[in-house]
Amino acid sequence: MPVLVTRDRTGSTRAAVLADRSADAIDAAIGTILPADGVLCSDSHAAFRLVADRHAIHHEPVNSRRRHSRAGSPAAFNGVATRYLPNYLAWHHVLDKSQMFRTIVNGCG
């Protein structure tokens, strides 16, 4: 089950469970939020390049496997049943927002 997680320059995070890894599915999930001056950073899957081309923005492929192996991100998704995936993503979104809030509060002190 493909999961697309995006983060913009302000730190806002969005997660979506996709029907497949097609350009149409990716575009439906993020096409409306891509800024005209944006850069789409993703793995090298061809669908991301197509989405960037559709919106006339720059696509920057990155080596996501290397980053994930350092950060341990894929391991966090092991064992989650597909039917619970949206709730799991929502929980991580709450944790992410909570971490951002703590950073802001601690930075002001």
Side-chain angles (χ1 to χ4, degrees):
M1 180 70 47
V3 174
L4 180 64
V5 179
T6 61
R7 179 163 285 192
D8 66 19
R9 292 178 182 143
T10 67
S12 294
T13 303
R14 176 184 214 148
V17 178
L18 305 178
D20 54 43
R21 293 186 66 194
S22 69
D24 289 338
I26 294 168
D27 200 3
I30 65 170
T32 60
I33 62 170
L34 292 173
D37 66 340
V39 175
L40 180 59
C41 299
S42 71
D43 64 17
S44 58
H45 193 274
F48 290 106
R49 181 183 44 77
L50 292 172
V51 171
D53 289 347
R54 285 180 188 172
H55 294 275
I57 62 172
H58 179 70
H59 176 237
E60 185 65 40
V62 296
N63 185 350
S64 61
R65 290 192 189 277
R66 182 174 169 194
R67 182 182 183 284
H68 284 171
S69 65
R70 283 196 315 253
S73 296
F77 289 99
N78 285 344
V80 176
T82 302
R83 69 178 184 210
Y84 298 125
L85 190 54
N87 294 339
Y88 186 79
L89 293 172
W91 175 244
H92 277 276
H93 182 72
V94 168
L95 292 176
D96 185 51
K97 287 289 187 186
S98 174
Q99 177 61 40
M100 286 176 59
F101 177 75
R102 282 194 301 274
T103 301
I104 292 168
V105 170
N106 291 337
C108 291

